[in-house]
Short mmCIF file of all heavy atoms in Angstrom, two decimals:
data_model
loop_
_atom_site.label_atom_id
_atom_site.label_comp_id
_atom_site.label_asym_id
_atom_site.label_seq_id
_atom_site.Cartn_x
_atom_site.Cartn_y
_atom_site.Cartn_z
N ALA A 237 -4.37 -2.79 -13.51
CA ALA A 237 -4.83 -1.51 -14.06
C ALA A 237 -3.68 -0.85 -14.81
O ALA A 237 -2.63 -0.57 -14.22
CB ALA A 237 -5.34 -0.59 -12.96
N ASP A 238 -3.86 -0.64 -16.10
CA ASP A 238 -2.80 -0.04 -16.91
C ASP A 238 -2.67 1.45 -16.61
O ASP A 238 -3.61 2.12 -16.20
CB ASP A 238 -3.12 -0.22 -18.39
CG ASP A 238 -3.04 -1.68 -18.82
OD1 ASP A 238 -2.30 -2.43 -18.17
OD2 ASP A 238 -3.73 -2.05 -19.79
N GLY A 239 -1.47 1.96 -16.85
CA GLY A 239 -1.21 3.39 -16.69
C GLY A 239 0.26 3.63 -16.45
O GLY A 239 0.95 2.76 -15.90
N PRO A 240 0.77 4.78 -16.84
CA PRO A 240 2.21 5.02 -16.72
C PRO A 240 2.70 5.22 -15.29
O PRO A 240 3.86 4.91 -14.99
CB PRO A 240 2.43 6.28 -17.56
CG PRO A 240 1.10 6.97 -17.56
CD PRO A 240 0.08 5.89 -17.53
N GLU A 241 1.85 5.73 -14.39
CA GLU A 241 2.31 6.05 -13.03
C GLU A 241 2.05 4.90 -12.06
O GLU A 241 1.46 5.06 -11.00
CB GLU A 241 1.62 7.33 -12.55
CG GLU A 241 2.04 8.56 -13.34
CD GLU A 241 1.39 9.83 -12.82
OE1 GLU A 241 0.19 9.80 -12.50
OE2 GLU A 241 2.09 10.85 -12.75
N TYR A 242 2.56 3.72 -12.44
CA TYR A 242 2.31 2.55 -11.61
C TYR A 242 3.29 2.45 -10.44
O TYR A 242 3.06 1.67 -9.50
CB TYR A 242 2.33 1.28 -12.45
CG TYR A 242 3.63 0.99 -13.17
CD1 TYR A 242 4.68 0.33 -12.54
CD2 TYR A 242 3.80 1.36 -14.50
CE1 TYR A 242 5.87 0.05 -13.19
CE2 TYR A 242 4.99 1.09 -15.17
CZ TYR A 242 6.01 0.44 -14.52
OH TYR A 242 7.19 0.16 -15.18
N LEU A 243 4.37 3.20 -10.45
CA LEU A 243 5.27 3.23 -9.30
C LEU A 243 4.71 4.24 -8.30
O LEU A 243 5.14 5.38 -8.21
CB LEU A 243 6.69 3.58 -9.74
CG LEU A 243 7.36 2.55 -10.65
CD1 LEU A 243 8.77 2.98 -11.04
CD2 LEU A 243 7.39 1.16 -10.00
N ASN A 244 3.71 3.77 -7.56
CA ASN A 244 2.98 4.65 -6.66
C ASN A 244 2.84 4.04 -5.28
O ASN A 244 3.11 2.85 -5.08
CB ASN A 244 1.60 5.01 -7.25
CG ASN A 244 0.72 3.78 -7.45
OD1 ASN A 244 0.35 3.10 -6.51
ND2 ASN A 244 0.37 3.51 -8.71
N VAL A 245 2.44 4.86 -4.33
CA VAL A 245 2.21 4.41 -2.96
C VAL A 245 0.78 4.79 -2.55
O VAL A 245 0.20 5.76 -3.05
CB VAL A 245 3.20 5.03 -1.96
CG1 VAL A 245 4.63 4.61 -2.27
CG2 VAL A 245 3.08 6.55 -1.93
N ASN A 246 0.23 3.99 -1.65
CA ASN A 246 -1.00 4.33 -0.94
C ASN A 246 -0.65 4.57 0.52
O ASN A 246 0.18 3.85 1.09
CB ASN A 246 -2.02 3.19 -1.02
CG ASN A 246 -2.41 2.84 -2.44
OD1 ASN A 246 -2.47 3.71 -3.30
ND2 ASN A 246 -2.68 1.57 -2.70
N VAL A 247 -1.28 5.56 1.13
CA VAL A 247 -1.03 5.89 2.54
C VAL A 247 -2.35 5.96 3.28
O VAL A 247 -3.27 6.66 2.85
CB VAL A 247 -0.29 7.23 2.69
CG1 VAL A 247 0.03 7.50 4.16
CG2 VAL A 247 0.99 7.25 1.85
N TRP A 248 -2.44 5.20 4.37
CA TRP A 248 -3.59 5.29 5.28
C TRP A 248 -3.08 5.84 6.61
O TRP A 248 -2.07 5.34 7.15
CB TRP A 248 -4.21 3.93 5.51
CG TRP A 248 -4.98 3.36 4.36
CD1 TRP A 248 -6.33 3.45 4.15
CD2 TRP A 248 -4.46 2.55 3.29
NE1 TRP A 248 -6.68 2.76 2.99
CE2 TRP A 248 -5.56 2.20 2.45
CE3 TRP A 248 -3.19 2.09 2.94
CZ2 TRP A 248 -5.42 1.42 1.31
CZ3 TRP A 248 -3.04 1.32 1.79
CH2 TRP A 248 -4.14 0.99 0.99
N THR A 249 -3.74 6.84 7.14
CA THR A 249 -3.27 7.46 8.37
C THR A 249 -4.45 7.80 9.29
O THR A 249 -5.52 8.17 8.81
CB THR A 249 -2.46 8.73 8.09
OG1 THR A 249 -2.10 9.35 9.33
CG2 THR A 249 -3.24 9.73 7.26
N PRO A 250 -4.25 7.70 10.61
CA PRO A 250 -5.30 8.13 11.53
C PRO A 250 -5.34 9.64 11.69
O PRO A 250 -6.36 10.19 12.12
CB PRO A 250 -4.91 7.46 12.84
CG PRO A 250 -3.43 7.30 12.76
CD PRO A 250 -3.12 7.06 11.30
N ASP A 251 -4.22 10.31 11.34
CA ASP A 251 -4.16 11.75 11.62
C ASP A 251 -3.08 12.41 10.77
O ASP A 251 -1.91 12.46 11.17
CB ASP A 251 -3.87 11.98 13.10
CG ASP A 251 -3.91 13.45 13.49
OD1 ASP A 251 -4.26 14.27 12.62
OD2 ASP A 251 -3.57 13.77 14.64
N PRO A 252 -3.44 12.93 9.58
CA PRO A 252 -2.43 13.59 8.76
C PRO A 252 -1.86 14.85 9.40
O PRO A 252 -0.81 15.33 8.97
CB PRO A 252 -3.18 13.92 7.47
CG PRO A 252 -4.62 13.87 7.82
CD PRO A 252 -4.76 12.89 8.93
N GLY A 253 -2.51 15.33 10.44
CA GLY A 253 -1.97 16.49 11.15
C GLY A 253 -1.19 16.13 12.39
O GLY A 253 -0.72 17.01 13.12
N GLY A 254 -1.03 14.82 12.63
CA GLY A 254 -0.35 14.36 13.84
C GLY A 254 1.15 14.28 13.65
O GLY A 254 1.72 14.81 12.70
N ALA A 255 1.79 13.57 14.59
CA ALA A 255 3.24 13.41 14.54
C ALA A 255 3.64 12.21 15.37
O ALA A 255 2.97 11.85 16.35
CB ALA A 255 3.94 14.66 15.06
N GLY A 256 4.75 11.59 14.99
CA GLY A 256 5.35 10.54 15.80
C GLY A 256 4.68 9.19 15.76
O GLY A 256 4.96 8.32 16.59
N LEU A 257 3.79 8.95 14.79
CA LEU A 257 3.10 7.66 14.71
C LEU A 257 4.01 6.60 14.10
O LEU A 257 4.80 6.90 13.19
CB LEU A 257 1.84 7.78 13.86
CG LEU A 257 0.74 8.70 14.40
CD1 LEU A 257 -0.36 8.88 13.36
CD2 LEU A 257 0.16 8.12 15.69
N PRO A 258 3.91 5.34 14.56
CA PRO A 258 4.67 4.28 13.92
C PRO A 258 4.23 4.10 12.47
O PRO A 258 3.07 4.32 12.13
CB PRO A 258 4.36 3.04 14.77
CG PRO A 258 3.09 3.36 15.48
CD PRO A 258 3.08 4.84 15.68
N VAL A 259 5.16 3.68 11.63
CA VAL A 259 4.92 3.53 10.19
C VAL A 259 5.19 2.09 9.79
O VAL A 259 6.16 1.48 10.24
CB VAL A 259 5.85 4.48 9.39
CG1 VAL A 259 5.62 4.32 7.89
CG2 VAL A 259 5.65 5.92 9.84
N MET A 260 4.33 1.55 8.94
CA MET A 260 4.56 0.23 8.35
C MET A 260 4.51 0.37 6.83
O MET A 260 3.61 1.00 6.29
CB MET A 260 3.53 -0.79 8.83
CG MET A 260 3.53 -0.99 10.33
SD MET A 260 2.42 -2.33 10.88
CE MET A 260 3.36 -3.79 10.41
N VAL A 261 5.50 -0.21 6.16
CA VAL A 261 5.57 -0.16 4.70
C VAL A 261 5.37 -1.58 4.17
O VAL A 261 6.17 -2.48 4.45
CB VAL A 261 6.92 0.40 4.21
CG1 VAL A 261 6.97 0.38 2.68
CG2 VAL A 261 7.13 1.81 4.74
N TRP A 262 4.28 -1.76 3.41
CA TRP A 262 3.88 -3.07 2.91
C TRP A 262 4.44 -3.30 1.51
O TRP A 262 4.25 -2.48 0.60
CB TRP A 262 2.37 -3.19 2.89
CG TRP A 262 1.84 -4.44 2.23
CD1 TRP A 262 1.12 -4.52 1.08
CD2 TRP A 262 2.00 -5.79 2.71
NE1 TRP A 262 0.82 -5.84 0.81
CE2 TRP A 262 1.35 -6.63 1.79
CE3 TRP A 262 2.63 -6.36 3.82
CZ2 TRP A 262 1.30 -8.01 1.93
CZ3 TRP A 262 2.59 -7.73 3.98
CH2 TRP A 262 1.93 -8.54 3.05
N ILE A 263 5.12 -4.47 1.34
CA ILE A 263 5.66 -4.88 0.05
C ILE A 263 4.86 -6.10 -0.41
O ILE A 263 5.01 -7.19 0.14
CB ILE A 263 7.16 -5.22 0.16
CG1 ILE A 263 7.93 -4.05 0.77
CG2 ILE A 263 7.73 -5.60 -1.21
CD1 ILE A 263 9.39 -4.36 1.06
N PRO A 264 3.99 -5.95 -1.40
CA PRO A 264 3.13 -7.07 -1.82
C PRO A 264 3.93 -8.21 -2.44
O PRO A 264 5.00 -8.00 -3.03
CB PRO A 264 2.19 -6.44 -2.86
CG PRO A 264 2.32 -4.97 -2.68
CD PRO A 264 3.71 -4.73 -2.16
N GLY A 265 3.38 -9.41 -2.33
CA GLY A 265 3.95 -10.58 -2.98
C GLY A 265 3.23 -10.91 -4.27
O GLY A 265 2.34 -10.20 -4.71
N GLY A 266 3.62 -12.05 -4.86
CA GLY A 266 3.04 -12.48 -6.12
C GLY A 266 4.07 -13.11 -7.04
O GLY A 266 4.01 -12.97 -8.25
N ALA A 267 5.05 -13.81 -6.44
CA ALA A 267 6.09 -14.53 -7.20
C ALA A 267 6.92 -13.61 -8.08
O ALA A 267 7.50 -14.05 -9.07
CB ALA A 267 5.48 -15.67 -8.04
N PHE A 268 6.98 -12.34 -7.74
CA PHE A 268 7.73 -11.33 -8.49
C PHE A 268 7.18 -11.11 -9.90
O PHE A 268 7.83 -10.47 -10.73
CB PHE A 268 9.23 -11.65 -8.56
CG PHE A 268 9.92 -11.58 -7.22
CD1 PHE A 268 10.30 -12.73 -6.55
CD2 PHE A 268 10.19 -10.35 -6.63
CE1 PHE A 268 10.94 -12.67 -5.31
CE2 PHE A 268 10.84 -10.28 -5.40
CZ PHE A 268 11.20 -11.43 -4.73
N VAL A 269 5.98 -11.63 -10.19
CA VAL A 269 5.33 -11.36 -11.48
C VAL A 269 3.93 -10.80 -11.30
O VAL A 269 3.32 -10.34 -12.27
CB VAL A 269 5.27 -12.62 -12.37
CG1 VAL A 269 6.66 -13.05 -12.79
CG2 VAL A 269 4.52 -13.76 -11.69
N ARG A 270 3.41 -10.83 -10.10
CA ARG A 270 2.09 -10.26 -9.80
C ARG A 270 2.16 -9.53 -8.46
O ARG A 270 3.10 -9.70 -7.71
CB ARG A 270 1.02 -11.36 -9.74
CG ARG A 270 0.77 -12.04 -11.06
CD ARG A 270 -0.33 -13.09 -10.98
NE ARG A 270 -0.57 -13.65 -12.31
CZ ARG A 270 0.10 -14.67 -12.82
NH1 ARG A 270 1.06 -15.26 -12.10
NH2 ARG A 270 -0.17 -15.11 -14.04
N GLY A 271 1.13 -8.75 -8.18
CA GLY A 271 1.03 -8.08 -6.90
C GLY A 271 0.82 -6.59 -7.06
O GLY A 271 1.35 -5.98 -8.00
N ALA A 272 0.04 -6.02 -6.14
CA ALA A 272 -0.25 -4.59 -6.21
C ALA A 272 -0.72 -4.10 -4.85
O ALA A 272 -1.33 -4.84 -4.08
CB ALA A 272 -1.34 -4.32 -7.26
N ASN A 273 -0.47 -2.83 -4.59
CA ASN A 273 -0.91 -2.23 -3.33
C ASN A 273 -2.40 -1.95 -3.30
O ASN A 273 -2.94 -1.52 -2.27
CB ASN A 273 -0.12 -0.94 -3.05
CG ASN A 273 -0.25 0.10 -4.16
OD1 ASN A 273 -1.06 -0.03 -5.06
ND2 ASN A 273 0.58 1.13 -4.08
N SER A 274 -3.09 -2.18 -4.41
CA SER A 274 -4.52 -1.92 -4.50
C SER A 274 -5.39 -3.15 -4.28
O SER A 274 -6.62 -3.07 -4.38
CB SER A 274 -4.84 -1.32 -5.88
OG SER A 274 -4.24 -2.08 -6.92
N ILE A 275 -4.80 -4.28 -3.98
CA ILE A 275 -5.58 -5.49 -3.69
C ILE A 275 -6.37 -5.28 -2.40
O ILE A 275 -5.81 -4.83 -1.39
CB ILE A 275 -4.65 -6.72 -3.60
CG1 ILE A 275 -4.10 -7.05 -5.00
CG2 ILE A 275 -5.36 -7.92 -3.01
CD1 ILE A 275 -3.05 -8.14 -5.02
N PRO A 276 -7.67 -5.58 -2.39
CA PRO A 276 -8.50 -5.28 -1.21
C PRO A 276 -8.01 -5.90 0.09
O PRO A 276 -8.24 -5.33 1.16
CB PRO A 276 -9.88 -5.82 -1.61
CG PRO A 276 -9.89 -5.76 -3.10
CD PRO A 276 -8.49 -6.07 -3.52
N LEU A 277 -7.34 -7.05 0.02
CA LEU A 277 -6.82 -7.66 1.25
C LEU A 277 -5.83 -6.75 1.95
O LEU A 277 -5.62 -6.88 3.16
CB LEU A 277 -6.13 -8.99 0.93
CG LEU A 277 -6.98 -10.13 0.37
CD1 LEU A 277 -6.12 -11.36 0.17
CD2 LEU A 277 -8.15 -10.44 1.30
N TYR A 278 -5.20 -5.84 1.20
CA TYR A 278 -4.13 -5.00 1.74
C TYR A 278 -4.62 -3.61 2.15
O TYR A 278 -3.81 -2.70 2.34
CB TYR A 278 -3.01 -4.84 0.72
CG TYR A 278 -2.45 -6.12 0.15
CD1 TYR A 278 -1.86 -6.13 -1.12
CD2 TYR A 278 -2.50 -7.32 0.85
CE1 TYR A 278 -1.33 -7.29 -1.66
CE2 TYR A 278 -1.99 -8.49 0.32
CZ TYR A 278 -1.40 -8.47 -0.95
OH TYR A 278 -0.89 -9.62 -1.48
N ASP A 279 -5.91 -3.45 2.30
CA ASP A 279 -6.44 -2.16 2.76
C ASP A 279 -5.84 -1.84 4.13
O ASP A 279 -5.88 -2.65 5.05
CB ASP A 279 -7.96 -2.23 2.85
CG ASP A 279 -8.59 -0.89 3.17
OD1 ASP A 279 -8.40 -0.42 4.32
OD2 ASP A 279 -9.26 -0.32 2.31
N GLY A 280 -5.27 -0.64 4.25
CA GLY A 280 -4.57 -0.27 5.48
C GLY A 280 -5.42 0.37 6.54
O GLY A 280 -4.88 0.86 7.55
N SER A 281 -6.74 0.37 6.36
CA SER A 281 -7.61 1.09 7.28
C SER A 281 -7.51 0.59 8.72
O SER A 281 -7.51 1.38 9.66
CB SER A 281 -9.06 1.01 6.81
OG SER A 281 -9.23 1.66 5.56
N ALA A 282 -7.41 -0.74 8.89
CA ALA A 282 -7.35 -1.26 10.26
C ALA A 282 -6.06 -0.86 10.95
O ALA A 282 -6.05 -0.58 12.16
CB ALA A 282 -7.50 -2.79 10.25
N PHE A 283 -4.96 -0.81 10.21
CA PHE A 283 -3.71 -0.34 10.81
C PHE A 283 -3.83 1.12 11.21
O PHE A 283 -3.41 1.51 12.32
CB PHE A 283 -2.54 -0.55 9.84
CG PHE A 283 -2.01 -1.95 9.83
CD1 PHE A 283 -2.27 -2.80 8.76
CD2 PHE A 283 -1.27 -2.44 10.89
CE1 PHE A 283 -1.79 -4.10 8.75
CE2 PHE A 283 -0.78 -3.75 10.89
CZ PHE A 283 -1.05 -4.57 9.81
N ALA A 284 -4.41 1.94 10.33
CA ALA A 284 -4.59 3.36 10.68
C ALA A 284 -5.53 3.51 11.86
O ALA A 284 -5.30 4.34 12.75
CB ALA A 284 -5.10 4.12 9.47
#
């Protein structure tokens, strides 16, 4: 998906009003020429 603001993050959380939850930061692969945080396989809902 084209656009200037491609250096972005997605955040999935069980409780934006909570505190002290463990955090995982996902770095997508793709041979350093492909990859995105928007690929459906990387949906963070189950972690949240």
Side-chain angles (χ1 to χ4, degrees):
D238 292 334
E241 293 182 318
Y242 61 85
L243 295 180
N244 62 64
V245 298
N246 300 326
V247 183
W248 288 265
T249 176
D251 185 6
L257 296 171
V259 179
M260 300 186 75
V261 178
W262 173 246
I263 305 173
F268 293 106
V269 294
R270 294 182 176 87
N273 57 11
S274 49
I275 290 174
L277 296 182
Y278 307 154
D279 187 291
S281 296
F283 280 106

